Each structure stands twice: as structure tokens, then as C-alpha cells.
Amino acid sequence: MKKIVNFTAGLMLLAMFGIIFTSALGDSATMDELAHIPSGYSYLSQKDYRLNPEHPPLIKDLSAIPLLFLNLNFPTNAAAWSEYINGQWDMGRIFIYESGNNADNIIVFSRLPIMILAVLFGWLFFKLIQGLYGNRVALLALFFFCFSPTFLAHSRYVTTDLGAAFGFFIGISAYLNFLFRGDKKSLIIAGAAFGVAQLLKFSLVLLAPLYAVFGVSWVFLKNIDNFYWKKFLKEELSVIAKTILIGIIGLFVIWPVYVFHVWNYPIERQVSDAVFNLSSFGIRPLVDAAVWMCGNPIFRSIGQYFVGLLMVVQRASGGNTTYFMGEVSAAGWPSYFPLLYLFKEHLVLHILTLLAMAIGLKNIILSKNKSFKKTCAWLRENFALTASFIFIAVYWFQAISSPLNIGVRHVLPTFPFIYLLVARQTIKWIKSPPFSEPRSFKEKIKEFFMKYLRPVERGALLLILLLWMIISAIATYPYYLSYFNILGGGTENGYKIAVDSNYDWGQDLKRLKDFADKNQIKKIGIDYFGGGNPKYYFGERYEQWWSAKGEPSEGSWFAISHTFLQGGHAVPVKNFKQKFEDTYPWLLGKTPVFRAGTSIDVYKF
């Protein structure tokens, strides 16, 4: 039985890999890939961390490994490398498109390790749940993972989003394993997982306070039945001390990795870059400490880590100019992430989530024993679920409170934990409840129905819902980044809700080229948002265009990314200022003749 279950899980992951690999072949570089790809290649080939310091190196390193075998030209004489401070965008353009390299080969090969990581992530996720809650819960949770439009979208690109989700998963799983076992081996594994997590994305520093909450909660729940203050404090101090040790082990994982990455980074250049990059950070003592470490030969590697961490804090507090539901602002919206999660995850998950919540609420109301100790006993016996609730609540509160609204991908780390909670409650709903010995013929009939027919009935309903999810994944192919469910207007109209990495990240530039080639277009004005390079793909046919340049002449072709179009036509709110000449007034009321992929409208004047 276990072999069949594992084989089924393997087939799901193989299907996921096939979907993400083939669907990504037609996608041009997304916006963030323009910075991440050259950065990763520079780390491995130059051992220099001057590009993209606001993100840790591990995902970029993995993506760059295949590139080392392509004999690529990395022009270190370019001003973007030798003179600019963090010239990641210019260096990306130069390295990928202007140095004689094959841009499409670079993009395809650099994405491959991210796809492999997605499969590894899915397998570890499945095995963990299988060990905790059995085969059926594990398979259902893995199904949500493999056919989630959000995971399918962001498992294909060289970005840190999949890495962040993976980091939270291994970091939380390893720490819970340490709490359950309490031995040296589990402590060392937790420390190593914490260190690896910090090398994936800086948001994973949130693991530190989460560990504190988990540790305190675990010790409290263990001692609630026979509570003694002295014993409680002793165990609490022990867990806190071991958690600090986990952090120290993590630090010794981070340190040597950054030693490699600053090996050829001139120390004077590292210091001056740090000073510039943190010039607007408010808490100057932290900046002074990070700069001092960068200038110290012993601590410069760990100093580089803290520079990146402070850069992320600096950026998050500043917000980001974003389009959302007809408005544009840099201040963010509290409803941004909740609504995007509602619109961009499949309705099947939402239906089953509501079902799980209803069942949970019903169980609480009908419970005959609602004592505090009984509740604590349940939380202790189901601590993996308890920790999942805590993490989801903390992470979503932080996301909703932040003005940095640049995509549902930023709450992706919570998705696996949501899948676990929903899958477990759904499988419990399908199972028949235990029965006492039936005493009458009527009770026997009822028992037969409840024990045999109802699970079949509910299982069939679940299979129909899962089939809907598979059909949706097939129908959306290959446009997973632009996926919106029917509540959000569908993939065709999702751009009216949100753009950027939710819909239009630059992935359709090659599809625009295919349209231009097919229609033998000799000249086309383009206002493009993304990591692709119109000049590389269109050559002399390309003319850069923007709103203030005015309406193209009669007979001309013009293409525009939805991110720019929606941002231009949106209503500025929360003191956001927008010039009239940047709002594309000459496109109002005009209908595009074609849409390249999902995200680029084409007009004929």
C-alpha cells in the first residue's frame, strides 16, 4: 500500500514538473529575473556580492549552476559592474542580451534548478504529512500543492518566492521535530535548517520570534495538566537556551557561505556600497554596526548579510507603487492580500476551506467537554496544526500591515500550512464516525449508511472537485502567472484586479514577437514591463514608446504591457501624484486588435 501511495505522489510531482517546465519555455524573462540571474552567475564566477545584496544568495546560486557549463561572457568591464552601485538591472540587460550570449538558453537553464527545488519541496511536504497524519491527508495536501495555480506560476522563475516558502517549511518542520524529540541530532538539524532558511530570503528572520512562540507554547501545553511554576520555568529556560543554540548553529551555516560570496569583493568597495545602500535607513546605530562589520576582515561576510537584511527593512517601510482594483498608490491596502488570495487560488481550495472551518466550528459547539485543560490537551496532541495556525496568523498579520503590496507570491509561504489544515479536516469529514453497537433495525440501517455509503458519497464529491482543479490547470496552461478564478474575472480579465507579478511580469514578450513575425510588422512601438529586452527580440523593428510621447501616427502598431496600462488609467489615491501626460489618455475607448499571451495589448492606429 505504501509503495502505491508513494508512486501516486511521485506521479503528481512528475506531472507538476512537466507542467512548469513546458509552460515556462514560451515565457520571456520576468522583471525580477533580470536582476537575479546575473547576480547568481556573478556570485559563482566572480565570488563578488555587489549585485542584488537585498536578497540572500542561495536561490540565485542554485539557478546559476547550469550557467557555468554554457561558456558565457560576463563583461566585468561594463560600468554597471565596475562603477555603478548595485547595477543589477543594467548588468542583467548587458549580461543576458548584449554580450553575445544566447538569452533564451540562459533563461531556460537558470530556471531548471528552481523547478527541481519545487519537486523536492513537494516530496518533503508529502513525506512529513504522511508521517504525521497518514496517506490520504498527505496525498490530498500534495494535490493542492501540485495543482495550485500560484505554485505552478512561481515554481518556474528565478525568484526568491519558492525559496521563501521552502525555507519556512524546513525551518518550522525542523524546529517542531526538535521540540518533539529534544535530542542533540534534532537540535543540530534545526540549526542547519534555520541557517539554510536565512540564505533563501531575508523575510525568514521571522522564524526567530516564531521559534520563541512555539517553544513557550509547547512547554506550557506539556505542563498544563500538572502545572508547577518551578518545573515550567526550568523547562522554559532550557528550551530558550537550546533555541538560542539553534540560532548560533544557523549563524555558522550563514557565515561560510557569505565568506565565499565576498571573497573577491574589494573591502573598500563593500564598505562604500553598504553606506550608499543604507543611506535612508532610519536607525543609524544599526547601519553603523553593519558598515563596521563590512570593513572588518573577520566580520565582513556576516556584515554583508546584515546589510541585506537592513535593506529589506528599509524597502518594506517605503512601500511600492502598485495598481489594485482601479486605484494606484504606494501606501498599500489592508485588503490587498486577502482579496488576491481569494481571487488567485482555486475555488476548490476555498470551498474545502469553508467546509473545514464549518466542521471545526460545529465540533467546538457540539463538544460536551469545553474545559480549558481539554482544549490545551487537543492543542498539545495536535501541535503541528497548532503551530500552523500560529504561523499563518503571524505571517498574514505582518503582510496585511505592510505597505509593500507587490504580489500574492509574498504570502506563498503560508500556503503549504493551509493545505495541511484543509486536507486533514477534509479527510476527517469523509471518514465515517465511530459507532456503538446498534440495538435496533433502524440503527443498523443508519449505521450501514453512515459507515459505508456516506464516505463513498463524500469521496465522490471530493473527486469531482479535484477533477475540476485538474481541468482548470489544463485550461490555464501555459498562463499560470495570470491565473484568476471566476470570482476575480477569470484569467482573461484578472488584470482589472491587479497586475505586476499577479498578472503581467513581462512573460509575454516572445509571444508578442511571434505575433509581429506572423503579421510581418516592420515597425512597432512598445511600452514593455518586464525582464525581457524588446531590442534583442525585435531588432530595428522596435521603437520605444510611452504615454507622453503621444498617439502613434495612423497605420502604426503599438503594444503595451497591462502593468503600465492599468497603472496609467487608475485613480491615484492616498496622496499619490500622477501626471496627466503619463495616463495614456489617447488609449481611452480604443480596443486592442490582439493580446499577446495574457498581458500585452496590441493596437493598430
Side-chain angles (χ1 to χ4, degrees), residues 495-573:
Y495 69 92
K496 298 175 183 178
I497 302 293
V499 283
D500 203 295
S501 63
N502 297 300
Y503 195 90
D504 166 30
W505 222 4
Q507 71 274 13
D508 288 322
L509 184 62
K510 290 198 294 183
R511 296 183 179 98
L512 177 63
K513 178 184 180 296
D514 292 341
F515 171 79
D517 291 345
K518 183 179 179 180
N519 290 273
Q520 298 180 341
I521 296 175
K522 296 180 180 179
K523 200 77 174 180
I524 182 168
I526 303 174
D527 195 3
Y528 167 71
F529 173 82
N533 189 309
K535 186 71 174 178
Y536 179 85
Y537 291 106
F538 288 85
E540 296 304 316
R541 294 185 295 169
Y542 162 66
E543 183 176 2
Q544 187 176 6
W545 209 271
W546 56 93
S547 175
K549 200 170 180 178
E551 183 175 342
S553 59
E554 186 176 351
S556 298
W557 291 89
F558 172 68
I560 180 170
S561 295
H562 278 143
T563 295
F564 287 145
L565 182 62
Q566 294 303 103
H569 287 171
V571 177
V573 296

Side-chain angles (χ1 to χ4, degrees), residues 140 144 348-364 378 389 418-429:
L140 182 55
F144 293 148
V348 167
L349 180 67
H350 298 325
I351 291 169
L352 294 176
T353 300
L354 290 174
L355 174 66
M357 293 170 65
I359 294 170
L361 184 60
K362 178 184 176 182
N363 291 339
I364 292 171
W378 187 94
F389 278 119
I418 294 173
Y419 300 157
L420 165 59
L421 295 172
V422 174
R424 182 178 179 273
Q425 195 72 317
T426 301
I427 296 302
K428 284 187 69 177
W429 171 70

Side-chain angles (χ1 to χ4, degrees), residues 55-339:
H55 292 291
L58 195 52
I59 284 292
K60 294 172 284 183
D61 289 345
L62 290 174
S63 72
I65 291 173
L67 303 186
L68 297 176
F69 301 95
L70 297 184
N71 192 28
L72 300 174
N73 177 32
F74 188 82
T76 55
N77 59 340
W81 175 264
S82 59
E83 298 176 23
Y84 298 174
I85 296 175
N86 191 16
Q88 53 188 340
W89 306 106
D90 289 309
M91 200 62 199
R93 172 178 49 81
I94 294 167
F95 169 60
I96 299 174
Y97 301 107
E98 299 176 3
S99 299
N101 299 318
N102 185 313
D104 290 335
N105 280 351
I106 289 175
I107 294 164
V108 168
F109 280 99
S110 63
R111 287 172 175 172
L112 191 58
I114 310 303
M115 300 177 190
I116 294 172
L117 177 63
V119 173
L120 173 63
F121 185 0
W123 181 254
L124 293 176
F125 178 56
F126 164 75
K127 294 303 289 184
L128 175 75
I129 300 175
Q130 187 182 42
L132 288 172
Y133 299 109
N135 295 329
R136 286 184 284 183
V137 176
L139 285 174
L140 182 55
L142 180 63
F143 184 92
F144 293 148
F145 177 94
C146 290
F147 294 99
S148 160
T150 313
F151 264 108
L152 289 175
H154 294 285
S155 296
R156 307 177 301 156
Y157 301 132
V158 184
T159 64
T160 57
D161 303 302
L162 181 75
F166 182 69
F168 275 108
F169 171 73
I170 63 170
I172 291 174
S173 301
Y175 188 75
L176 294 183
N177 183 61
F178 153 71
L179 290 178
F180 298 158
R181 295 177 179 273
D183 57 11
K184 290 182 181 178
K185 182 180 178 181
S186 62
L187 185 146
I188 293 170
I189 292 172
F194 178 75
V196 171
Q198 302 313 304
L199 293 169
L200 291 167
K201 194 161 186 173
F202 285 118
S203 60
L204 282 135
V205 74
L206 184 61
L207 283 173
L210 281 170
Y211 285 177
V213 174
F214 293 159
V216 170
S217 301
W218 174 250
V219 173
F220 175 77
L221 292 172
K222 273 180 64 181
N223 288 275
I224 190 62
D225 292 332
N226 298 290
F227 195 84
Y228 297 102
W229 274 108
K230 288 185 179 180
K231 182 184 176 185
F232 171 72
L233 290 175
K234 183 179 179 181
E235 286 192 35
E236 203 68 80
L237 289 173
S238 175
V239 167
I240 291 171
K242 289 177 180 178
T243 302
I244 291 171
L245 183 56
I246 287 172
I248 293 171
I249 293 171
L251 185 64
F252 279 98
V253 173
I254 298 167
W255 202 316
V257 172
Y258 270 85
V259 166
F260 172 85
H261 285 80
V262 300
W263 194 265
N264 290 331
Y265 193 4
I267 194 167
E268 299 82 6
R269 173 71 186 263
Q270 183 183 351
V271 170
S272 63
D273 287 355
V275 170
F276 181 85
N277 286 326
L278 297 175
S279 58
S280 61
F281 192 87
I283 307 173
R284 299 315 296 175
L286 292 178
V287 174
D288 295 339
V291 170
W292 176 85
M293 284 191 285
C294 287
N296 186 292
I298 297 174
F299 295 106
R300 64 185 297 235
S301 55
I302 205 67
Q304 188 63 38
Y305 169 81
F306 283 115
V307 166
L309 181 60
L310 295 181
M311 286 180 70
V312 168
V313 175
Q314 178 178 258
R315 189 198 173 190
S317 63
N320 190 79
T321 300
T322 308
Y323 167 84
F324 182 56
M325 298 188 73
E327 298 178 343
V328 62
S329 173
W333 298 262
S335 61
Y336 182 85
F337 287 112
L339 286 178

Side-chain angles (χ1 to χ4, degrees), residues 328-502:
V328 62
S329 173
W333 298 262
S335 61
Y336 182 85
F337 287 112
L339 286 178
L340 281 177
Y341 175 72
L342 175 65
F343 295 144
K344 285 192 65 63
E345 270 295 281
H346 201 281
L347 281 180
V348 167
L349 180 67
H350 298 325
I351 291 169
L352 294 176
T353 300
L354 290 174
L355 174 66
M357 293 170 65
I359 294 170
L361 184 60
K362 178 184 176 182
N363 291 339
I364 292 171
I365 294 172
L366 297 180
S367 175
K368 295 179 181 178
N369 196 332
K370 303 175 185 177
S371 68
F372 177 70
K373 283 193 174 183
K374 284 289 184 180
T375 302
C376 289
W378 187 94
L379 294 173
R380 180 180 66 244
E381 292 164 7
N382 298 274
F383 196 72
L385 303 182
T386 304
S388 297
F389 278 119
I390 293 171
F391 169 59
I392 293 167
V394 170
Y395 197 95
W396 273 83
F397 175 80
Q398 179 272 332
I400 292 172
S401 302
S402 171
L404 193 64
N405 292 170
I406 55 176
V408 73
R409 61 195 173 99
H410 279 207
V411 291
L412 189 66
T414 63
F415 285 20
F417 298 89
I418 294 173
Y419 300 157
L420 165 59
L421 295 172
V422 174
R424 182 178 179 273
Q425 195 72 317
T426 301
I427 296 302
K428 284 187 69 177
W429 171 70
I430 291 174
K431 284 183 178 179
S432 59
F435 288 91
S436 57
E437 187 67 27
R439 289 170 295 180
S440 65
F441 179 74
K442 183 178 180 181
E443 287 180 351
K444 287 182 179 181
I445 294 295
K446 181 179 180 182
E447 181 200 24
F448 180 81
F449 175 78
M450 298 292 287
K451 190 172 184 178
Y452 298 105
L453 298 184
R454 177 168 284 183
V456 172
E457 179 185 76
R458 291 178 173 180
L461 176 60
L462 178 62
L463 286 176
I464 291 171
L465 290 174
L466 298 185
L467 182 61
W468 176 16
M469 204 165 174
I470 292 175
I471 292 172
S472 177
I474 295 171
T476 306
Y477 182 94
Y479 305 120
Y480 297 105
L481 186 74
S482 302
Y483 174 84
F484 275 76
N485 62 38
I486 56 176
L487 296 180
T491 302
E492 188 73 15
N493 296 300
Y495 69 92
K496 298 175 183 178
I497 302 293
V499 283
D500 203 295
S501 63
N502 297 300

